[in-house]
Amino acid sequence: MTLESTTLRKFLLQLQKQDALDQDLVLLIEDIATSCRIISHQIRNGPFLDILGATETSNIQGETQKQLDVIANDVFLSHCSNCARVAGLVSEELDDVVWLKDRPKAGDYLFYFDPLDGSSNLNVNLSVGSIFSVVELEEDIETLSNDVVLVKGTKQIFAGYSLYGPSTSLVFSTGQGVNGFTHKMGTGEFLLTFPNMQLPETTDEFAINASRWRQWDPVISRYVQECIDGEDGPRQKTFNMRWTASMVAEVHRILTRGGIFLYPADKENASRGGKLRLLYEANPMSFIVEQANGRASTGRERILSVQPQSHHQRIGVILGCSEEVERIESHYREIGQ
Ligand code: AHG
Ligand code: MN
Ligand code: MN
């Protein structure tokens, strides 16, 4: 396959031919791509459609919903319910799991999604994204409840994101590396533009919301201080810092040129577990980062191994180049935490 001629469909059919992808997952990924295309169109025309502002509603997490949070949620719900194997959908914007079947069977799909990530960027015309992942049910389900979706991230068979930046990217993994596609304006196709994305082992760029400095625990403060000390400190090199307020944009940058992203549990958010949500933010992004040779951790344990306790559960997230994430993990071990 050559780069210019590899459409998303061609790429997926190739995997299907190699028995590396079920036909149902091919259909679902195509429905996801359609959803992202529609959302991208809505975002780019947002000022004309007057849909960049807030609604009068809040989601289950008490966050005011933007109109586009709701629109993007509806787009995923309607398009990603087409595949006959999808049994349930879990969204950041919905209180409960949406069940499409009365008695889901083993092998049916659960679809998790954050319809719009970084939505505070919308009305300032900065990057936002969507995050999604799929797991297969391990056994037939007699009784439907929100607990059914509490599955560890290691069980994901697919995870991806779409970044609505200067161009629209669709990046995903089916467990065999990470590939990135770009939406071509005009023809509307997604073309393979970033095959086999890989993180370098090392980096000199970090991303954290530094306004939370006084909330950090001693390990995070130590790590950031070591970066800021640059050539004069223990790292003996100068670090650069970025913060886009959209995890999707951060992860895309890290997949493209390396780096580390931190939204740790801190004194202010610890009682809630952290800021980012485990099932539809941390798990999909951790899967992608690991598939691209990186590492994803709370600082104390691998995110993908965490047993979820509730479906909107939050967690501390530290992900990116292995060497940096391991350094923070070793700082925690040093102080016996
Ligand atoms: P969402 O828009 O889905 O609620 O997620 C926003 C998240 C994440 O993408 C980003 O890293 C972080 O919140 C930004 O937080 P700050 O406002 O603290 O910068
Ligand atoms: Mn989000
Ligand atoms: Mn969101």
Side-chain angles (χ1 to χ4, degrees):
M1 285 194 276
T2 62
L3 264 187
E4 316 81 71
S5 63
T6 307
T7 60
L8 176 64
R9 167 158 295 180
K10 197 168 175 181
F11 179 86
L12 294 174
L13 293 180
Q14 193 77 26
L15 283 180
Q16 195 188 333
K17 221 187 277 171
Q18 296 160 5
D19 281 335
L21 206 55
D22 280 353
Q23 191 187 357
D24 290 311
L25 193 51
V26 170
L27 295 176
L28 178 54
I29 296 171
E30 293 202 323
D31 289 338
I32 291 169
T34 302
S35 306
C36 297
R37 207 160 28 222
I38 295 169
I39 294 166
S40 170
H41 178 85
Q42 297 283 88
I43 290 170
R44 293 186 195 294
N45 288 297
F48 306 120
L49 303 170
D50 196 20
I51 52 172
L52 294 182
T55 63
E56 294 189 345
T57 53
S58 298
N59 63 17
I60 181 89
Q61 303 156 71
E63 298 159 340
T64 305
Q65 290 174 308
K66 293 276 166 69
Q67 291 178 66
L68 270 163
D69 284 323
V70 177
I71 292 169
N73 185 60
D74 291 346
V75 170
F76 277 113
L77 277 184
S78 60
H79 288 82
C80 299
S81 302
N82 290 334
C83 168
R85 204 153 139 195
V86 176
L89 301 99
V90 181
S91 166
E92 177 188 351
E93 303 301 337
L94 297 171
D95 298 4
D96 292 312
V97 179
V98 174
W99 291 108
L100 302 176
K101 300 186 178 190
D102 295 335
R103 291 199 167 196
K105 294 257 171 279
D108 278 349
Y109 296 152
L110 296 173
F111 180 64
Y112 303 80
F113 63 108
D114 174 357
L116 263 194
D117 175 71
S119 51
S120 71
N121 281 352
L122 278 171
N123 43 8
V124 288
N125 199 18
L126 290 173
S127 296
V128 292
S130 301
I131 309 175
F132 23 81
S133 78
V134 176
V135 306
E136 277 177 323
L137 282 172
E138 285 192 336
E139 47 193 69
D140 293 5
I141 306 295
E142 300 275 317
T143 317
L144 299 181
S145 82
N146 288 346
D147 291 353
V148 172
V149 306
L150 304 180
V151 180
K152 285 185 188 177
T154 44
K155 301 283 183 188
Q156 292 170 112
I157 57 167
F158 165 86
Y161 64 81
S162 182
L163 174 61
Y164 313 109
S167 59
T168 294
S169 313
L170 176 66
V171 175
F172 62 84
S173 174
T174 55
Q176 297 168 79
V178 180
N179 289 282
F181 297 77
T182 303
H183 179 235
K184 189 162 189 183
M185 300 295 284
T187 62
E189 297 161 299
F190 276 103
L191 297 175
L192 181 63
T193 42
F194 306 104
N196 193 24
M197 298 173 92
Q198 295 265 327
L199 271 74
E201 296 282 320
T202 58
T203 182
D204 51 15
E205 194 163 69
F206 68 102
I208 190 164
N209 182 344
S211 69
R212 302 184 69 82
W213 175 276
R214 69 194 183 287
Q215 313 289 356
W216 295 341
D217 71 26
V219 165
I220 301 299
S221 301
R222 174 182 170 190
Y223 175 76
V224 173
Q225 188 65 54
E226 287 174 348
C227 293
I228 291 172
D229 287 344
E231 287 172 5
D232 302 332
R235 306 305 307 269
Q236 299 185 316
K237 61 179 179 178
T238 300
F239 276 78
N240 188 20
M241 200 203 88
R242 287 286 182 273
W243 187 251
T244 67
S246 163
M247 188 197 202
V248 172
E250 313 280 5
V251 168
H252 192 71
R253 187 189 60 250
I254 289 170
L255 282 176
T256 309
R257 68 177 190 209
I260 179 170
F261 165 86
L262 303 96
Y263 213 121
D266 61 29
K267 284 180 210 134
E268 187 272 329
N269 66 31
S271 61
R272 302 189 295 279
K275 157 110 185 193
L276 298 169
R277 279 55 56 115
L278 174 59
L279 288 180
Y280 41 79
E281 291 182 315
N283 271 344
M285 291 313 210
S286 298
F287 184 82
I288 292 168
V289 165
E290 285 197 7
Q291 283 291 321
N293 198 34
R295 195 171 174 92
S297 163
T298 63
R300 299 174 174 92
E301 62 183 318
R302 183 185 179 207
I303 289 175
L304 293 182
S305 300
V306 172
Q307 173 59 52
Q309 302 296 330
S310 66
H311 74 290
H312 290 298
Q313 178 177 343
R314 295 173 190 260
I315 193 162
V317 175
I318 299 168
L319 55 77
C321 294
S322 304
E323 218 174 84
E324 297 302 309
V325 179
E326 279 165 3
R327 183 176 183 90
I328 295 172
E329 289 171 332
S330 90
H331 285 356
Y332 277 111
R333 278 196 302 275
E334 235 177 74
I335 60 167
Q337 287 187 8

